[in-house]
Amino acid sequence: MSDERAERIAEFIAPLRVKPGSEVDLSRDFDPGFKAGIGGKKDGRELLRTGVTLLADYQRRLAAEGRYGVLMCLQSLDAGGKDGTIRHVMSGVNPQGVHVSNFKVPSDEELDHDFLWRYARRLPRRGEIGIFNRSHYEEVLVVRVHPEHLDRQRLPDGARRKGVWRRRYREINDWERYLHDNGFRIVKLFLNLSKEEQRVRFLKRIDVPERNWKFSAADARERSFWDDYQRAFSRMLSATSTKWAPWYVVPADHKWFARICAAAVLAHTLIDIDPQYPEVGEKARHELFVVKEELVAAAPPGAAADPYAAPVADDRKGRDRR
């Protein structure tokens, strides 16, 4: 990865980053229709393809090195495009190295534990990319907008006193700092959708039969809490965008642009990690040459003894000339 290319990616995502310690007002600070001067979907298609190829390369290196893990948290209102973002951005990576977790209404077993327990159980391993489709931030979003959910968590009285949300922000920040210190990088994306674009997407889910399954009456009921959610998102972004786990507010009115942004933020994180393929020691290298000689000797008549030897040698000569 050239320094120039890495700098271009960093510059592209800079307007999306929530500066740690800043006070966020979504309606004032971020435009859901922002496109960064990119003309349209056709222009963005090649950018996304380039990003997916880049992610595939870095994901292979991440898995091979096995020292770091990456957790991508996706938050948005209904119809924000989380599923499509995952499907397109991760389309080129090895599915064995990526795990997606969806979090619905907590079960009785999950409610018997602390509020972070069910999320901690689904964290990625070293060498993996884990994706939370909705995440631990539901505990300061949905639960805050609908405080009756807090009753179901059967907290002791002391844990429900004034300041519960401020305390949860602190606990989330501390947890993410702990993960970062142990080699797990956290990518936090809020897909910022306008109220009008959500209305249009809801209508499409109703009018197109193949999309009916994606819509429920509960989605429409949640829409009536739009202003409450906007305030909850603004407070969450203000309180939990940290140096070790910053938030990125992704303009989501144009799905193609949101996917480019998500790929760029994830690529930026992997570039910063800069995972490397492990170097083979002298003993292991000697064993490779012994096995290679056996395989070359086993070539049938008319077959290339080692079809990869010439391309590798030519590639090395090309690099030497450069």
Side-chain angles (χ1 to χ4, degrees), residues 290-307:
V290 171
V291 173
K292 177 181 177 178
E293 290 178 356
E294 294 175 354
L295 292 172
V296 168
D306 185 351

Side-chain angles (χ1 to χ4, degrees), residues 264-275:
V265 175
L266 183 55
H268 174 73
T269 301
L270 290 168
I271 291 169
D272 186 59
I273 294 173
D274 194 24

Side-chain angles (χ1 to χ4, degrees), residues 9-20 24 26 30 71-76 137 186-192 233 236-238 240-252 258 261-270 272:
I9 293 174
E11 290 173 3
F12 177 76
I13 66 174
L16 314 179
R17 185 174 181 268
V18 177
K19 184 179 178 181
V24 176
L26 276 176
F30 296 97
L71 172 64
M72 184 167 75
C73 301
L74 284 175
Q75 290 291 155
S76 77
Y137 285 96
I186 303 173
V187 179
K188 301 190 299 194
L189 304 176
F190 169 58
L191 305 183
N192 188 26
F233 278 122
M236 174 200 74
L237 294 168
S238 301
T240 61
S241 190
T242 60
K243 181 179 179 181
W244 54 89
W247 273 105
Y248 291 86
V249 178
V250 174
C261 293
V265 175
L266 183 55
H268 174 73
T269 301
L270 290 168
D272 186 59

Side-chain angles (χ1 to χ4, degrees), residues 11 28 83 203 218:
E11 290 173 3
R28 176 196 67 201
D83 292 343
L203 286 171

Side-chain angles (χ1 to χ4, degrees), residues 83-84 87 205 210-216 219 255:
D83 292 343
R87 185 170 63 253
R205 291 181 177 185
E210 293 81 5
R211 294 178 177 264
N212 288 171
W213 66 273
K214 299 187 73 174
F215 187 78
S216 72
D219 296 336
K255 292 180 180 180

Side-chain angles (χ1 to χ4, degrees), residues 15-311:
L16 314 179
R17 185 174 181 268
V18 177
K19 184 179 178 181
S22 62
E23 290 293 326
V24 176
D25 182 334
L26 276 176
S27 62
R28 176 196 67 201
D29 299 328
F30 296 97
D31 176 12
F34 178 66
K35 296 191 294 182
I38 300 175
K41 185 175 182 179
K42 183 177 180 180
D43 298 318
R45 189 175 293 118
E46 184 59 35
L47 286 173
L48 181 59
R49 188 178 297 114
T50 300
V52 168
T53 301
L54 182 64
L55 288 177
D57 174 48
Y58 271 91
Q59 187 253 344
R60 287 192 296 269
R61 290 160 55 178
L62 183 78
E65 186 181 65
R67 295 181 62 194
Y68 291 88
V70 176
L71 172 64
M72 184 167 75
C73 301
L74 284 175
Q75 290 291 155
S76 77
L77 289 168
D78 294 317
K82 297 185 300 298
D83 292 343
T85 296
I86 295 170
R87 185 170 63 253
H88 285 80
V89 171
M90 309 309 292
S91 60
V93 304
N94 185 338
Q96 290 183 323
V98 179
H99 300 281
V100 180
S101 298
N102 296 280
F103 294 98
K104 305 296 185 182
V105 176
S107 66
D108 288 339
E109 180 188 14
E110 290 168 338
L111 290 170
D112 281 337
H113 294 81
D114 64 90
F115 78 93
L116 290 173
W117 181 78
R118 67 172 180 157
Y119 307 102
R121 297 179 71 207
R122 306 303 297 273
L123 288 170
R125 299 176 180 179
R126 300 186 192 279
E128 292 181 343
I129 297 174
I131 301 175
F132 283 0
N133 188 345
R134 298 188 186 274
S135 70
H136 45 293
Y137 285 96
E138 294 290 283
E139 306 296 335
V140 292
L141 292 170
V142 175
V143 179
R144 184 165 192 168
V145 172
H146 299 286
E148 62 271 19
H149 293 324
L150 204 59
D151 297 334
R152 297 185 61 229
Q153 296 185 358
R154 303 192 294 277
L155 298 171
D157 292 339
R160 297 193 55 185
R161 292 174 186 158
K162 186 178 180 180
V164 60
W165 307 119
R166 184 170 62 253
R167 186 170 62 252
R168 285 199 169 185
Y169 292 146
R170 174 178 55 78
E171 291 163 347
I172 287 172
N173 288 340
D174 289 345
W175 186 56
E176 291 178 349
R177 180 63 180 266
Y178 165 79
L179 293 174
H180 181 275
D181 289 347
N182 281 273
F184 293 88
R185 298 295 179 258
I186 303 173
V187 179
K188 301 190 299 194
L189 304 176
F190 169 58
L191 305 183
N192 188 26
L193 187 69
S194 69
K195 193 172 186 179
E196 171 58 14
E197 180 62 20
Q198 187 193 56
R199 184 186 73 86
V200 171
R201 292 184 187 181
F202 277 178
L203 286 171
K204 187 173 184 179
R205 291 181 177 185
I206 294 170
D207 293 339
V208 179
E210 293 81 5
R211 294 178 177 264
N212 288 171
W213 66 273
K214 299 187 73 174
F215 187 78
S216 72
D219 296 336
R221 287 196 296 270
E222 285 300 283
R223 182 174 163 83
S224 66
F225 294 94
W226 180 273
D227 291 339
D228 295 323
Y229 273 109
Q230 294 300 296
R231 284 191 291 271
F233 278 122
S234 295
R235 290 167 178 167
M236 174 200 74
L237 294 168
S238 301
T240 61
S241 190
T242 60
K243 181 179 179 181
W244 54 89
W247 273 105
Y248 291 86
V249 178
V250 174
D253 276 7
H254 304 284
K255 292 180 180 180
W256 60 267
F257 184 71
R259 293 160 186 168
I260 293 171
C261 293
V265 175
L266 183 55
H268 174 73
T269 301
L270 290 168
I271 291 169
D272 186 59
I273 294 173
D274 194 24
Q276 302 295 319
Y277 290 110
E279 292 188 8
V280 178
E282 286 300 320
K283 181 179 179 181
R285 189 178 298 278
H286 175 72
E287 292 174 349
L288 288 176
F289 283 128
V290 171
V291 173
K292 177 181 177 178
E293 290 178 356
E294 294 175 354
L295 292 172
V296 168
D306 185 351
Y308 294 100

